[in-house]
Amino acid sequence: MLQKIRLLLDIILYDIHFQPGALGWLAGHAPAIKRTLNHRSWVSLWAVPKTVDSILRGISQVCLADNPLSGLLILLGLLLGDVTAGLSALACSLTAIVTALIFKQPDATITSGVTNFSAVLVGTVITSVYPNICYQPVSGPVYGYMIAGAAFSVCLFSALAAILAPTKLPPFTLPFNIATCVVFICLRGRGLVGAPPDEAAGTPDGDGEVEWDQVFVGWVMSVGQVYALESLVCSCLTLAGLLLYSPVLVVFAMAGALVSTVTALAVSSAPYADVYAGGWGYNGFLSAGSLVIFMVPSPRIFLLAIVNASFTTFLHAALVPSFALSQLPVFTFPFCISSLLFLAMAGAGGMDSVRVYEPTFPERHFVLHLRKIRDDASGQSRRSSLIENIG
């Protein structure tokens, strides 16, 4: 019986590592698709499938995943949640790919969607947030600024990646944050804002009681809020896509979203409408998920992910007053700042903290780590036997 269990575990570990058959096309980082497209030229008929693959991977990369089928499910969620946001994500992603090709960015970063995921956020966030903070519908000039912001995000990513290269830390969504802040400030300078609604009636103070069922809803809604969409359908389809990529990522990210959502009750005041809408959980979702992507999963990393999500929420609350002066939300600045700090800390602490510099998906990182430990142990055993024989 024990031998059969070991055999089953070996099969599972083999499948996770090598992803044979359909797994290579559907699950994890879909390496079969990468192998098929990576050596194809952009100046050929292969440009169409390469572009589609890059767009879908970029959409999933927003949630730290690298899988085109995950991206397709998330795109479907975006279109069902807000068709304009979904179309804007496609337009901005395509703009980013063209910009990256013009400026000769590394092909690996283009095909994996890394150069265009910030552009995806530029599209969805501006489309969703602009009517709420500028008090008018999105117009033609706003779309023009949005496309420019998507192009700028590629240049910002390249620059920030070069600056952070000595530390081997990723820029995360900093290019999106900078580009989107610049776009919104320029839109205000151009006068593309409407009159604020009449606030004479004021906002109800609320009785301070927490509706825990709504807190649960806000926890789930925080997944869609990563794309600035308040949509349960988008959140559920996004989770389905991420489960296809990595169940471990989902566990970490949803734990972070839960911690942030609950922590928000301690750092904000009633009424808790933003908490119930998921507006406080998305940064924690990204913060916790980022650690398991760039570190080998372990109990210590899970604990750090939880602490990171909690600190992200405190940082979110601290930044709100400063951003309010410019009538801007905090976007994902809390996630970027906190996760850069905690990732640097995680990479410097202990034997069970192993940094991942070329991410695929967490389960595979763990399997490769186990194989390395086993190989090192076998090598040490052979060395000891050799010494004994010599002796």
Side-chain angles (χ1 to χ4, degrees), residues 61-79:
Q61 285 279 10
V62 172
C63 289
L64 305 162
D66 180 15
N67 184 302
L69 189 54
S70 299
L72 182 60
L73 289 172
I74 296 170
L75 176 60
L76 180 60
L78 293 175
L79 292 171

Side-chain angles (χ1 to χ4, degrees), residues 197-205:
D198 183 13
E199 299 179 354
T203 303
D205 292 334

Side-chain angles (χ1 to χ4, degrees), residues 71-333:
L72 182 60
L73 289 172
I74 296 170
L75 176 60
L76 180 60
L78 293 175
L79 292 171
L80 291 175
D82 184 345
V83 65
T84 306
L87 294 175
S88 297
L90 290 173
C92 288
S93 187
L94 182 59
T95 299
I97 292 171
V98 173
T99 304
L101 290 171
I102 290 173
F103 288 104
K104 300 185 184 301
Q105 296 299 298
D107 190 69
T109 60
I110 300 175
T111 55
S112 63
V114 173
T115 55
N116 55 301
F117 75 87
S118 280
V120 170
L121 278 177
V122 170
T124 61
V125 170
I126 290 180
T127 303
S128 301
V129 172
Y130 177 82
N132 296 326
I133 67 175
C134 293
Y135 315 113
Q136 64 179 17
V138 181
S139 59
V142 176
Y143 284 115
Y145 277 89
M146 183 179 71
I147 294 299
F152 292 152
S153 70
V154 177
C155 304
L156 291 168
F157 175 83
S158 180
L160 289 169
I163 292 171
L164 291 171
T167 65
K168 297 184 179 180
L169 294 171
F172 291 128
T173 55
L174 279 174
F176 147 72
N177 285 296
I178 297 171
T180 306
C181 284
V182 169
V183 167
F184 272 114
I185 292 172
C186 289
L187 287 172
R188 291 188 181 280
R190 181 68 177 79
L192 294 171
V193 293
D198 183 13
E199 299 179 354
T203 303
D205 292 334
D207 55 9
E209 293 186 3
V210 178
E211 300 177 34
W212 289 103
D213 58 332
Q214 292 302 306
V215 172
F216 173 81
V217 173
W219 171 45
V220 179
M221 294 280 276
S222 62
V223 183
Q225 287 285 10
V226 171
Y227 298 87
L229 262 67
E230 187 179 338
S231 167
L232 194 58
V233 172
C234 180
S235 296
C236 291
L237 283 172
T238 299
L239 282 175
L242 295 180
L243 279 170
L244 187 64
Y245 168 71
S246 168
V248 171
L249 172 63
V250 173
V251 170
F252 271 69
M254 289 306 290
L258 180 61
V259 168
S260 283
T261 301
V262 173
T263 304
L265 300 174
V267 296
S268 62
S269 57
Y272 300 109
D274 287 343
V275 177
Y276 303 152
W280 281 86
Y282 69 92
N283 273 303
F285 178 92
L286 293 172
S287 292
S290 65
L291 287 188
V292 77
I293 290 295
F294 291 96
M295 301 294 300
V296 173
S298 71
R300 179 179 179 274
I301 295 303
F302 183 79
L303 177 60
L304 276 178
I306 296 302
V307 177
N308 185 18
S310 178
F311 180 72
T312 296
T313 312
F314 277 86
L315 188 57
H316 184 150
L319 290 176
V320 165
S322 298
F323 278 76
L325 296 175
S326 299
Q327 296 178 296
L328 291 174
V330 297
F331 299 120
T332 57
F333 273 112

